[in-house]
Amino acid sequence: MLTGEDAADLVEPLITGMVEDPPWSTFMGRLRRSLRADYASLTFRPLRVGAPHNRVVHLASGRQSPPLVAQLYRDSLYRNDPLPYHDMEPGRVYALPELLRAGDPRHEAYRAQLLSPSGMNVLRIMRVLEPSGVSAWLTLSRRRGEFAAADDALVAALAPYLRAALTSYVALEHERMTASVAHEAVRRMNFGWLTLDGEGRILDTDAHGRAMLAESTVLTRGRGGRLSAREAAVGREIAAAVQALAADPQARPRAVVLSREPWLDMLLVKAARVGAGATRPTPSLVAYVHSDPGSSADRCEQLGQLFDLTPRQASLALALSRGLSIAEAAAALGLSVESARTYSKRIYAKTGARGQADLVRFVHRSVLAIA
């Protein structure tokens, strides 16, 4: 157990250090100074065993290897590193003679090419293993002067605290990665939101909604800060939808097609009754705005690839998935209604859809949503 000054000086930065940049920099510096080491490092892979893109994290304090030696290790020496990292007993502090065999040519070459030029003549290494299988190695070194038994005891006493900190860091990194992937999926779906009061005034937005409002050639902030559109007919449709939802507590969500090329649509819903705080007005409505920056030609090509549709079938499928009736889609594509019906039957057969509603679901739940 750590007690007294060591506990105060080392445990607190170990707990708080996972959110430092770089992580645990205060802890590493204090530990190195406490043990009068020339160099201290912590090395691990932060994601669970087998995770893709699991980079190596190397945190260091003090005198590091000369640049040429460090480059040599990265280029080739790491392949011949003889230290039995994964065979080390977790929580035990190892001295260099326990890890390198005198007289072994491979071990002596490693000492001569990396350790001695780096000033790592006296070394201590401790492996820490957290519950999901992630290992970390704490290394301390001096150019001269052996570590005392009390130094080894201090490092060993840190093991449970370091394991707990590493466990939290690994869980945090896993959540960060999950959140990053989810955020990227939502970003690629091009959804943003705006909250409105009962008269359609914009109260707040997320970053994507704010960008849509600033960059869109369709949406605008109208008189009095109300959500509106540059085209008068679309503006009137938005205003009517806001009025209907605000007036009827039981009103169902209202969908509005704002633009067909490029595609931009919006779903207006009643806001959940969550307190907004004393300093901010409570929203009455939420406008979920969805854009499709891809051209119709791109989407048709992707639909064709996904469902094995001909170019004409893909064009009709895209039009139907965007809410046009057979007659409207036929007119937009220069087809007769009868030809459009024939194409639609082939589309339903290839996609497995039982009708237009099914087709809409299939298209909007496919990977096209994030293409």
Side-chain angles (χ1 to χ4, degrees):
M1 289 288 292
L2 290 176
T3 58
E5 281 187 23
D6 288 333
D9 197 46
L10 296 173
V11 174
E12 181 181 347
L14 187 55
I15 294 170
T16 60
M18 69 182 72
V19 294
E20 286 185 296
D21 186 18
W24 292 303
S25 53
T26 301
F27 166 76
M28 296 300 296
R30 288 186 183 180
L31 178 63
R32 179 179 60 81
R33 290 189 293 271
S34 176
L35 296 179
R36 299 172 305 284
D38 296 320
Y39 172 77
S41 72
L42 183 66
T43 305
F44 63 98
R45 293 181 185 270
L47 300 180
R48 294 181 173 94
V49 175
H53 314 299
N54 199 359
R55 72 191 189 285
V56 174
V57 174
H58 181 79
L59 310 170
S61 173
R63 182 186 298 157
Q64 301 193 39
S65 300
L68 289 177
V69 175
Q71 187 63 49
L72 178 63
Y73 181 82
R74 288 192 294 269
D75 289 345
S76 59
L77 272 182
Y78 76 93
R79 298 190 188 95
N80 298 312
D81 188 337
L83 299 184
Y85 296 104
H86 289 279
D87 292 332
M88 294 180 188
E89 180 184 337
R92 179 184 164 190
V93 181
Y94 288 82
L96 191 57
E98 298 178 272
L99 303 172
L100 290 183
R101 293 190 299 274
D104 185 309
R106 181 162 159 259
H107 290 210
E108 293 294 346
Y110 186 76
R111 186 195 297 270
Q113 293 174 349
L114 176 69
L115 298 183
S116 295
S118 300
M120 296 179 176
N121 300 317
V122 182
L123 196 72
R124 292 294 186 272
I125 300 181
M126 181 178 70
R127 178 189 176 201
V128 175
L129 178 63
E130 63 86 51
S132 74
V134 172
S135 286
W137 290 268
L138 180 65
T139 303
L140 298 137
S141 70
R142 291 175 180 169
R143 184 174 293 275
R144 60 182 62 86
E146 186 57 78
F147 288 100
D151 297 329
D152 291 349
L154 174 61
V155 175
L158 283 170
Y161 301 98
L162 184 54
R163 182 171 59 249
L166 183 64
T167 299
S168 297
Y169 186 84
V170 168
L172 183 61
E173 281 296 292
H174 177 74
E175 292 304 318
R176 281 176 179 158
M177 184 187 70
T178 301
S180 175
V181 171
H183 175 77
E184 176 63 10
V186 171
R187 186 193 67 79
R188 291 180 67 87
M189 290 171 71
N190 292 292
F191 271 96
W193 56 259
L194 306 90
T195 56
L196 313 174
D197 67 10
E199 296 184 11
R201 284 185 285 263
I202 300 170
L203 302 177
D204 198 5
T205 71
D206 71 342
H208 201 52
R210 188 160 50 251
M212 287 181 177
L213 199 58
E215 300 166 9
S216 171
T217 58
V218 181
L219 286 177
T220 185
R221 191 186 295 264
R223 184 179 302 172
R226 290 176 174 83
L227 180 63
S228 189
R230 301 184 192 280
E231 188 178 320
V234 177
R236 288 193 294 272
E237 189 174 358
I238 293 173
V242 168
Q243 185 177 12
L245 281 165
D248 181 3
Q250 305 302 318
R252 296 177 63 80
R254 296 282 294 269
V256 180
V257 175
L258 304 171
S259 169
R260 296 192 182 277
E261 189 67 39
W263 184 265
L264 186 68
D265 55 12
M266 179 172 65
L267 184 69
L268 280 161
V269 302
K270 299 286 287 186
R273 290 297 176 188
V274 178
T279 62
R280 307 190 70 172
T282 301
S284 296
L285 307 172
V286 180
Y288 295 103
V289 185
H290 165 247
S291 67
D292 185 351
S295 68
S296 292
D298 290 338
R299 293 295 174 253
C300 288
E301 181 180 358
Q302 291 155 1
L303 269 173
Q305 293 167 349
L306 195 59
F307 296 111
D308 193 27
L309 303 177
T310 67
R312 182 63 80 182
Q313 290 168 357
S315 297
L316 180 60
L318 181 64
L320 294 175
S321 74
R322 288 177 168 176
L324 272 65
S325 67
I326 283 284
E328 291 169 334
L333 297 173
L335 297 171
S336 68
V337 173
E338 190 57 38
S339 294
R341 290 189 193 282
T342 300
Y343 283 129
S344 70
K345 291 175 183 176
R346 293 172 184 163
I347 292 167
Y348 297 150
K350 288 183 176 182
T351 61
R354 291 171 293 181
Q356 188 171 355
D358 254 3
L359 180 65
V360 170
R361 281 195 294 273
F362 287 177
V363 171
H364 290 285
R365 291 178 180 175
S366 72
V367 290
L368 289 183
I370 59 171

